[in-house]
């Protein structure tokens, strides 16, 4: 659990009534993203950085990933050694967790607000765009150019969160919408021009909520 004071806490499961354990803190900042994989925890903040700490000994810092020129809005591990982040500078950046080196970057454009990862692709949303940018992995490398997933109907809002659920990508829309707050793309890692009509039908509202 990240709080607005820049601190990260761990709660024991399933007994959430027990006191949390304070893991780490970012000085004078607000945490904007947390991800865990293989004994490492990545925390992102509004001061343009991503910190990689060992877990559960989070005082042991593995590396800092420095390169964003605006706040970091999301971070996710791709594997035990690679992670991806997005931010207000409009970039996706792939990092080496051990060294903090940036090993790849992609210019998305606009303010990146959230991202989601799967073994097949990285999806990212931006502040004023209804579409979702999808960067598939090509032979293990992030594609240079994304393809776009459109909302249908196109009267929604830019997603405030994204999540891969099995083969589908689900987007959370802020506010109240007649079709419900969720939009789902059944086959998000396949370019739309390669899909049949049935594949690009978007499921929204109660049907998605019931399945979530």
């Amino acid at each position: 659990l990240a709080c607005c004071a820049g601190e990260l806490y761990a709660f024991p499961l399933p007994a959430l009534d027990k006191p949390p354990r304070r893991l780490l803190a970012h000085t004078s900042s607000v945490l904007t993203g947390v991800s865990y994989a293989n004994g490492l925890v990545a925390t992102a903040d509004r001061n343009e950085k991503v910190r990689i700490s060992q877990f559960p000994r989070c005082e042991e810092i593995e590396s800092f990933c420095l390169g964003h020129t605006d706040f970091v809005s999301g971070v996710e591990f791709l594997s035990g050694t690679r992670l991806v982040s997005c931010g207000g500078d409009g970039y996706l950046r792939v990092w080496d967790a051990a060294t903090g080196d940036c090993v790849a970057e992609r210019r998305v454009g606009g303010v990146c607000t959230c991202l989601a990862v799967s073994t097949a692709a990285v999806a990212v949303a931006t502040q004023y765009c209804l579409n979702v940018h999808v960067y598939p992995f090509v032979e293990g490398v992030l594609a240079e150019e994304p393809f776009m997933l459109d909302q249908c109907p196109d009267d929604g809002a830019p997603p405030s969160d994204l999540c891969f659920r099995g083969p589908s990508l689900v987007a959370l829309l802020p506010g109240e919408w007649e079709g419900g707050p969720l939009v789902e793309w059944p086959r998000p890692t396949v370019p739309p021009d390669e899909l049949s009509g049935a594949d690009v039908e978007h499921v929204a509202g109660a049907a998605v909520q019931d399945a979530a």
Side-chain angles (χ1 to χ4, degrees):
L1 174 66
C3 72
C4 61
E7 298 176 323
L8 182 68
Y9 291 87
F11 285 84
L13 292 175
L16 293 177
D17 56 332
K18 294 182 179 180
R21 175 189 171 194
R22 183 178 180 271
L23 296 178
L24 58 85
H26 285 221
T27 304
S28 302
S29 190
V30 175
L31 294 186
T32 56
V34 179
S35 184
Y36 171 82
N38 296 338
L40 295 176
V41 59
T43 47
D45 65 29
R46 294 192 64 84
N47 285 358
E48 307 165 5
K49 69 178 182 293
V50 177
R51 168 179 162 173
I52 312 299
S53 309
Q54 296 182 16
F55 183 85
R57 295 179 53 85
C58 292
E59 67 274 11
E60 300 290 338
I61 300 175
E62 190 81 5
S63 65
F64 283 101
C65 302
L66 305 175
H68 283 288
T69 58
D70 208 330
F71 65 89
V72 182
S73 54
V75 62
E76 294 286 350
F77 274 99
L78 299 172
S79 66
T81 59
R82 291 286 190 270
L83 64 151
V84 61
S85 63
C86 65
D89 57 4
Y91 276 88
L92 274 179
R93 288 187 165 88
V94 180
W95 309 91
D96 184 302
T99 64
D101 293 337
C102 182
V103 297
E105 64 179 27
R106 301 290 182 264
R107 172 64 174 163
V108 180
V111 175
C112 298
T113 55
C114 56
L115 61 80
V117 302
S118 74
T119 57
V122 174
V124 60
T126 56
Q127 187 172 14
Y128 300 115
C129 183
L130 299 182
N131 302 328
V132 175
H133 302 68
V134 177
Y135 290 83
F137 290 107
V138 181
E139 297 182 351
V141 178
L142 208 61
E144 291 287 341
E145 297 294 334
F147 59 84
M148 309 295 285
L149 297 177
D150 301 326
Q151 291 188 38
C152 183
D154 59 358
D155 58 353
S160 59
D161 202 4
L162 296 170
C163 178
F164 280 99
R165 188 186 63 194
S168 299
L169 177 66
V170 178
L172 174 66
L173 307 184
E176 297 182 1
W177 302 96
E178 182 177 351
L182 300 179
V183 174
E184 181 175 12
W185 292 272
R187 296 182 62 194
T189 60
V190 179
D193 58 3
E194 298 179 12
L195 297 176
S196 66
D199 289 323
V200 296
E201 290 181 0
H202 298 171
V203 183
V208 175
Q209 296 178 55
D210 293 342

